[in-house]
Amino acid sequence: MPWEDVDTGWGRQAAAFAYLFETMHWREYVYILEQTGVGPGRRYLDIACGAGLAVQLASQRGAQATGLDASARLLAIAAARAPEADLRVGDMFHLPFDEASFDVATSFRGIWGNSLAALQEARRVVRPGGQVGLSFWGNQRRMQAYPLFDVLGQTSEDERPNTGSMVSIGRPGVAEQLMADAGLVPGTRTSLRLHWEFPDVELAARALASTGPAYLAMRYIGTEAFMTAARAAAAGLYVEGLGVRAEVELQCLVGVVPS
C-alpha cells in the first residue's frame, strides 16, 4: 500500500483509536523513552507516531520532539496533544530530515520485518552514538489476548505473505539482524507485558475496529462479520466485575548508531 493511502485505514477512526486503544500503551512508550534517555534538550523523533502519545510524553520530559506519520487525521490529534512538537505527514521510507538531525529515534510497532529501508532511514537521521528504539509484538499465539489478534488476522490470501513478513520481526534474532543490516549495533532484546482493558464487550469490539489491521480484515470479511467476531472474542475474555482484560506482550530492542 502506498504511504499516501495509509490514512484510509488508520485515519478513518482516528479519535476512537487514539482514545480507546493507543492510551493503553503508555507504559510501552515510557519504557523505551527511559531506555533511550529521552529527556531535557534531547532531539527526539518518533516514526509512525500515530496520534502522538509518545511525542506528547517525550515533550513532557523536556525533549525537542518531532513526529512523522502517514495519516493526517492521526496527526491532527497529535498536534492537539503536543502543540509544541514538529509534526510531519510523510513516508517513513523517505524521512524529510537531514543526516544526524536527532539524538534518538523510536518506532512503536511501526517498523516491521519487511521495513529494512525505514530502519536505514532512522539510522541516517540519528547522530553517531545516538539510539534507535523499536517495539513489536511477541508471539501472539501465546498471549492471553490472542483471540482478539485472531480477529484482526482475517485477511485475504494475497495479503498474508506481506503480513507474515511484517510480524517475522518478533522471531528470535530477526530484529537484531534487521538492525545490523541497517548499520546499527543492536542491544539486548527485552520484554514488556501490559493489559488491554475495556469495561464491556461492545467497547472492546469498537476499539479493535478502530485499528489499521481491522480495516484490512473488514475489507476481506465485511464490517458486520468483523464486529460479530470481535464481540465473540471479547466476550470470551470478559470477567464479571473486571470487564474485558487480557495480557499482551511486547518485545523491545534499542540499537546504537556507530561512532
Side-chain angles (χ1 to χ4, degrees):
M1 177 186 293
W3 75 267
E4 295 93 343
D5 296 338
V6 169
D7 185 66
T8 303
W10 279 102
R12 67 201 158 80
Q13 294 190 37
F17 172 76
Y19 307 144
L20 299 180
F21 197 91
E22 188 185 30
T23 51
M24 294 186 294
H25 283 259
W26 68 269
R27 285 183 52 231
E28 171 193 358
Y29 305 148
V30 169
Y31 183 76
I32 290 187
L33 292 176
E34 290 181 347
Q35 284 193 332
T36 54
V38 173
R42 298 275 274 179
R43 298 171 300 164
Y44 168 73
L45 169 66
D46 191 27
I47 300 167
C49 69
L53 184 55
V55 174
Q56 178 185 18
L57 293 168
S59 293
Q60 290 172 346
R61 297 168 75 91
Q64 299 174 22
T66 300
L68 177 134
D69 199 87
S71 170
R73 286 179 285 187
L74 285 173
L75 278 181
I77 296 174
R81 285 173 162 173
E84 69 283 0
D86 178 6
L87 299 168
R88 312 277 187 95
V89 177
D91 179 6
M92 70 179 182
F93 293 95
H94 300 90
L95 295 176
F97 308 110
D98 294 335
E99 293 184 11
S101 295
F102 301 97
D103 301 304
V104 175
T106 61
S107 188
F108 299 94
R109 291 163 286 112
I111 290 178
W112 297 95
N114 59 353
S115 303
L116 174 59
L119 192 55
Q120 289 171 329
E121 275 290 272
R123 183 218 183 277
R124 179 183 67 81
V125 302
V126 172
R127 64 166 174 81
Q131 297 168 293
V132 177
L134 302 180
S135 69
F136 41 90
W137 296 117
N139 189 327
Q140 296 173 3
R141 292 182 179 274
R142 296 179 182 174
M143 296 184 204
Q144 187 183 16
Y146 176 68
L148 301 175
F149 282 104
D150 194 36
V151 175
L152 293 172
Q154 300 179 91
T155 55
S156 69
E157 290 187 13
D158 291 341
E159 290 166 339
R160 285 169 195 163
N162 181 59
T163 302
S165 66
M166 288 176 64
V167 300
S168 68
I169 193 172
R171 296 173 186 161
V174 173
E176 290 81 357
Q177 187 60 54
L178 197 69
M179 279 200 169
D181 290 344
L184 294 160
V185 179
T188 300
R189 187 188 299 214
T190 58
S191 176
L192 176 68
R193 296 178 183 272
L194 51 83
H195 286 84
W196 286 353
E197 299 171 311
F198 310 97
D200 54 56
V201 166
E202 193 61 35
L203 200 61
R206 184 182 173 196
L208 209 64
S210 72
T211 67
Y215 171 72
L216 296 178
M218 285 187 280
R219 282 202 314 182
Y220 179 53
I221 65 171
T223 301
E224 184 175 345
F226 177 89
M227 293 303 294
T228 297
R231 292 183 186 104
L237 297 167
Y238 180 82
V239 176
E240 188 65 38
L242 293 179
V244 179
R245 189 171 190 270
E247 187 179 70
V248 299
E249 182 201 4
L250 292 145
Q251 301 281 309
C252 303
L253 184 64
V254 176
V256 176
V257 178
S259 299

